[in-house]
Amino acid sequence: MTTPIERIAALTVGTVEYVSPDQIKVLLELDAPQATALNTGVPIGFPRINSYVLIPNEAGAVVALVAWLGVEPSSFPKRTGLKDFGLIDLPYPLRKMSLVPLGTLSHAKAKGKQQVRYRLERGVAVFPSVGDPVLLPTSDQLRSIVESEGADRRVTIGISPLASNATVSVDPDKIFGRHLAVLGNTGSGKSCTVAGLIRWSLKAAEGERAAAGLVGPANARFIILDPNGEYTRTFSDLSPSVRVFQVPPVVAECQELSLPAWMWNSNEWSSFAAAAPGAQRPILLQALRDLRAGAAIREPVVAQVSRLFRSYRARLAQLIAQGASGYANFPANRNCGAIIRNIETDASRYETATDAGLKKALGELAGEAKTRANSHAWNSATNSGYNDFSETDVLAVVNRIDVVLAELPAGTKSVPPNEDAPVQFDVSQMADHLEQLAGDVGGGNVAQFVATLAMRVRMMLADRRLGPIVMPAHSIAFEKWLEDYVGVNSATTGQIAILDLSLVPADVIHVVIAVVARIVFEATQRYRKLNTVELPTVLVLEEAHTFVRRSGEEEQATISPAQMCRQTFERIAREGRKFGLGLVLSSQRPSELSATVLAQCNTFILHRIVNDRDQELVSRLVPDNLGGLLRELPSLPARQAILLGWATAVPVLVEIAELPTEHRPHSADPKFWDVWTSVESRPVDWKTIAEDWTS
Ligand SMILES: Nc1ncnc2c1ncn2[C@@H]1O[C@H](COP(=O)(O)OP(=O)(O)OP(=O)(O)O)[C@@H](O)[C@H]1O
Ligand SMILES: [Mg+2]
């Protein structure tokens, strides 16, 4: 049996030579281990970069990370025995190492247990002094450094090879609550880590529920935006089953991806249509307002009449205010005629559906509008149009509208139509309606824009892949959509929704991702508004660098879909936490990611990163003194990663637990050799592919 003092002596590997707040230099003992330390109970590698050492003090011990190792020649050896300074020595190599202080390990006696436990706290309260001994941690101490305590121990994600294979666990509240970024080169294991994290979290939650005697699945919500279609089969063994949405035609067990265009808000429409803010955006917004208001079934007829004719009246009043240039000379006469014609159509449309007084007034309005329009209309073999109107004509129609408005029951208020509300409307009417509005407003560049926009909308609806997504064959109610994509009460239909976006055409994938992310965000926002508590939801975005791209310098008038997508995610990154919406971003190119989004991520799992721009960027994410830790990034083997940030007290090197093949995202490295040598067969039939492509 050794005494505590002897034990400490046996573990001492060196003495402190230099101390600054971010660096400690140590002179290693001559007899300190050269490669493997056997004196800690279990063999651990020492000295090794990124392994831990302790420097005891009155508060416990400072935990430090080995950042640099080297040999420095000295004019005489560090003598242990007789010191005879009369001797002249040859230069003598001394081993040194440089440490980065990480935190403080203190004693914490576990309740009811004899065994001494240690607890790691962030920050260093008392810095060591020159001459202090540096110790190797025992395996118990190592465990306490890496293994977290209490609530932090909820989900195990792997082991720490540098800390005698202690398990590394995380707390979902911390890792998902404040956004997580998983970064690394292609093939470094990001998708596997994300898939594992979700799977292990659900498993752990289920275990805890079972222990508490609860039945039913974990009440969790994960939404995976998967641009490469990697995750389709990853969770298929979980019950209740996951919901996978695919671009039609779908394979078995998947549902059709639908994102009706009536859910898009005005921003999303504008960026899809590349509408310039000047003349084009207002028309688009007007079209959305009209279609949404027309579709709002709850709006009573009188309210619809009130809204419609008040807006017509306002437009005519505008024309009168402009004087002759409002209704005479081309194209003003043509536009004025078109408005009067629309008034006629709408007045006779509502004539059938209202009470006697209103019916009469509408009838007279329709009659007046018809007479005025007809008396100025001209027709030739090739064209048609209107001659100049006069103020009298316009005033006559305005007066009739006033009669109609006077007939409405007192206090009739139209529901102000909102161009952003996800009110269902018939998307196929969009193009026609835009053209009609263009007729009303007139103006060369407007007509041209509307023609382009109407064509884009028509093409989108006709597109074999996109059409069914933006205008599903079976109309889907908004609440059903939320149940499908965010999850039902108690998550009884599954906790994971996977949106396989692999076949969404490239020019709209940004819009699709932005819309889904925004709706999920607003849904959690509204949930908290009505329930006062938040609904924990996790939104996973793969290939984040493509969708949340760092903003360029150029300022454009129109918002491109990529810009809009970035703005949506920046907003979620900034505000999502308050509503329980956590982001998990996976990216190969952190240097191309939006700085705002990255700055809001509080936890990082860093896999191998070779590119120096990316390395430089991630090194800026950690405090200066820890930069050295990340120098290991280019040489990390697969499955190993550095976990750092909010979810862990000190940065740890984790070997992520192994996922069996069937639970991995479908992204195995291509097998060139096996195919070349016919170990695996790959029949090629371009005909079927060409047909599928072109049909
Ligand atoms: N935890 C793990 N368990 C088992 N295998 C893993 C694990 N992590 C990585 N791998 C192996 O590494 C391969 C690549 O991993 P993964 O697809 O996760 O990389 P990635 O970083 O997402 O790449 P990309 O950026 O190209 O999407 C996997 O096919 C798998 O063989
Ligand atoms: Mg991947």
Side-chain angles (χ1 to χ4, degrees):
M1 183 79 194
T2 48
T3 64
I5 301 288
E6 279 167 339
R7 273 201 61 133
I8 289 186
L11 290 168
T12 305
V13 289
T15 43
V16 174
E17 273 200 327
Y18 164 100
V19 184
S20 77
D22 60 354
Q23 198 189 24
I24 299 170
K25 282 190 186 156
V26 175
L27 174 65
L28 286 180
E29 300 286 340
L30 293 180
D31 54 357
Q34 301 279 356
T36 309
L38 297 167
N39 47 353
T40 57
V42 286
I44 63 167
F46 182 87
R48 255 166 83 174
I49 290 289
N50 285 346
S51 63
Y52 303 95
V53 291
L54 299 179
I55 308 166
N57 61 21
E58 60 269 37
V62 172
V63 178
L65 198 65
V66 179
W68 174 89
L69 283 168
V71 168
E72 279 177 6
S74 159
S75 49
F76 57 87
K78 184 179 181 349
R79 290 173 219 270
T80 41
L82 180 73
K83 294 187 171 69
D84 182 354
F85 293 100
L87 288 174
I88 297 175
D89 292 297
L90 291 173
Y92 192 85
L94 288 180
R95 287 187 296 153
K96 307 242 174 136
M97 63 183 185
S98 149
L99 310 175
V100 175
L102 288 179
T104 307
L105 197 65
S106 55
H107 284 286
K109 196 141 192 171
K111 269 197 212 105
K113 286 190 191 147
Q114 281 306 306
Q115 174 198 10
V116 188
R117 299 274 303 145
Y118 305 91
R119 199 179 56 231
L120 180 68
E121 282 153 14
R122 286 164 199 251
V124 177
V126 186
F127 277 93
S129 177
V130 172
D132 281 359
V134 176
L135 309 187
L136 279 179
T138 63
S139 55
D140 263 0
Q141 289 165 334
L142 263 182
R143 281 225 166 74
S144 326
I145 296 173
V146 188
E147 287 185 353
S148 28
E149 294 250 338
D152 287 355
R153 299 228 44 183
R154 285 178 170 142
V155 178
T156 302
I157 61 168
I159 54 170
S160 173
L162 286 184
S164 42
N165 290 347
T167 56
V168 177
S169 312
V170 289
D171 178 6
D173 287 356
K174 285 188 177 163
I175 202 157
F176 296 123
R178 293 199 180 179
H179 312 314
L180 164 71
V182 183
L183 310 173
N185 284 134
T186 179
S188 58
K190 298 180 299 297
S191 305
C192 289
T193 301
V194 172
L197 202 56
I198 296 176
R199 170 178 295 272
W200 301 321
S201 298
L202 290 176
K203 280 267 176 286
E206 252 154 49
E208 182 113 357
R209 288 173 68 91
L214 290 170
V215 285
N219 187 11
R221 268 154 270 268
F222 288 91
I223 300 146
I224 304 180
L225 298 170
D226 175 16
N228 294 331
E230 293 173 72
Y231 289 84
T232 317
R233 306 236 168 280
T234 311
F235 300 104
S236 46
D237 61 307
L238 293 186
S239 78
S241 57
V242 288
R243 306 179 302 280
V244 183
F245 301 92
Q246 266 187 340
V247 175
V250 299
V251 301
E253 296 151 32
C254 295
Q255 304 176 42
E256 292 192 356
L257 177 73
S258 76
L259 188 67
W262 53 259
M263 285 186 192
W264 304 7
N265 69 14
S266 52
N267 260 337
E268 286 144 6
W269 269 103
S270 305
S271 87
F272 165 74
Q280 308 175 335
R281 230 177 106 96
I283 298 198
L284 185 62
L285 298 199
Q286 180 66 38
L288 283 171
R289 266 196 298 271
D290 290 351
L291 288 171
R292 290 207 157 114
I297 322 135
R298 273 165 298 160
E299 195 183 33
V301 173
V302 282
Q304 290 179 31
V305 170
S306 159
R307 178 178 50 75
L308 191 62
F309 290 100
R310 269 178 225 283
S311 91
Y312 276 134
R313 194 188 182 289
R315 243 183 267 176
L316 292 182
Q318 230 173 7
L319 297 189
I320 294 175
Q322 286 172 13
S325 64
Y327 38 77
N329 298 329
F330 188 81
N333 49 16
R334 182 198 62 188
N335 300 338
C336 180
I339 295 176
I340 295 181
R341 198 58 93 192
N342 286 343
I343 294 177
E344 181 204 329
T345 328
D346 281 331
S348 32
R349 184 152 62 91
Y350 282 105
E351 214 186 327
T352 50
T354 43
D355 72 52
L358 187 56
K359 187 180 159 93
K360 182 162 165 283
L362 282 168
E364 285 167 2
L365 171 60
E368 184 72 53
K370 186 173 181 180
T371 329
R372 299 281 164 179
N374 282 352
S375 64
H376 292 77
W378 56 264
N379 261 311
S380 73
T382 53
N383 218 335
S384 66
Y386 294 93
N387 297 319
D388 293 355
F389 288 86
S390 66
E391 191 177 325
T392 335
D393 296 312
V394 184
L395 269 179
V397 180
V398 170
N399 290 338
R400 291 288 178 189
I401 292 181
D402 286 342
V403 178
V404 170
L405 296 178
E407 281 297 331
L408 293 173
T412 307
K413 281 218 192 74
S414 63
V415 182
N418 176 346
E419 66 263 10
D420 289 338
V423 175
Q424 196 158 0
F425 63 82
D426 187 354
V427 182
S428 62
Q429 283 181 8
M430 188 68 170
D432 293 344
H433 191 75
L434 280 168
E435 279 163 355
Q436 192 194 333
L437 276 179
D440 284 4
V441 180
N445 76 347
V446 170
Q448 203 179 11
F449 157 70
V450 169
T452 333
L453 174 56
M455 194 179 71
R456 274 213 84 171
V457 174
R458 289 209 172 93
M459 266 169 56
M460 169 178 87
L461 298 181
D463 187 286
R464 188 168 65 99
R465 296 238 154 88
L466 196 54
I469 304 178
V470 294
M471 200 174 63
H474 335 279
S475 85
I476 172 169
F478 189 42
E479 79 184 54
K480 175 79 170 59
W481 191 92
L482 290 173
E483 282 176 354
D484 277 353
Y485 290 80
V486 188
V488 296
N489 186 26
S490 304
T492 46
T493 56
Q495 297 105 332
I496 307 174
I498 298 168
L499 278 70
D500 171 356
L501 305 169
S502 51
L503 289 179
V504 174
D507 51 341
V508 290
I509 190 160
H510 284 90
V511 179
V512 168
I513 287 187
V515 175
V516 174
R518 176 188 57 87
I519 295 184
V520 170
F521 173 58
E522 289 184 1
T524 56
Q525 230 176 2
R526 279 174 192 272
Y527 182 93
R528 199 187 72 164
K529 190 170 142 208
L530 295 181
N531 298 275
T532 65
V533 285
E534 78 287 354
L535 179 71
T537 309
V538 181
L539 188 62
V540 181
L541 178 65
E542 270 281 341
E543 310 288 346
H545 50 276
T546 329
F547 303 105
V548 200
R549 202 170 253 286
R550 179 173 285 267
S551 58
E553 301 305 316
E554 84 286 359
E555 271 305 316
Q556 290 167 332
T558 53
I559 307 173
S560 71
Q563 254 173 314
M564 185 197 47
C565 198
R566 185 185 69 237
Q567 286 169 2
T568 306
F569 278 93
E570 286 181 349
R571 183 155 165 237
I572 297 179
R574 277 195 307 265
E575 301 167 28
R577 185 184 65 84
K578 300 185 205 99
F579 306 105
L581 182 59
L583 273 183
V584 174
L585 301 174
S586 153
S587 171
Q588 305 176 353
R589 296 302 314 269
S591 58
E592 287 177 10
L593 268 178
S594 148
T596 312
V597 169
L598 214 47
Q600 297 292 335
C601 289
N602 280 265
T603 307
F604 297 89
I605 297 182
L606 305 175
H607 283 275
R608 184 177 58 250
I609 298 181
V610 176
N611 180 298
D612 53 351
R613 282 230 344 231
D614 294 327
Q615 280 183 49
E616 188 195 310
L617 186 116
V618 294
S619 67
R620 268 187 263 138
L621 300 171
V622 296
D624 271 354
N625 59 349
L626 288 178
L629 175 75
L630 301 183
R631 276 188 242 142
E632 196 173 339
L633 281 177
S635 50
L636 280 181
R639 271 173 57 204
Q640 289 201 3
I642 294 172
L643 169 71
L644 55 92
W646 174 242
T648 170
V650 296
V652 263
L653 180 75
V654 197
E655 183 173 319
I656 307 279
E658 170 125 31
L659 275 176
T661 320
E662 65 275 17
H663 295 165
R664 290 180 204 163
H666 186 78
S667 68
D669 293 333
K671 299 199 169 71
F672 285 88
W673 187 253
D674 285 356
V675 174
W676 291 353
T677 53
S678 292
V679 175
E680 290 198 17
S681 74
R682 289 286 191 283
V684 175
D685 179 7
W686 290 118
K687 188 163 175 278
T688 8
I689 294 177
E691 274 166 11
D692 178 64
W693 203 335
T694 50
S695 67

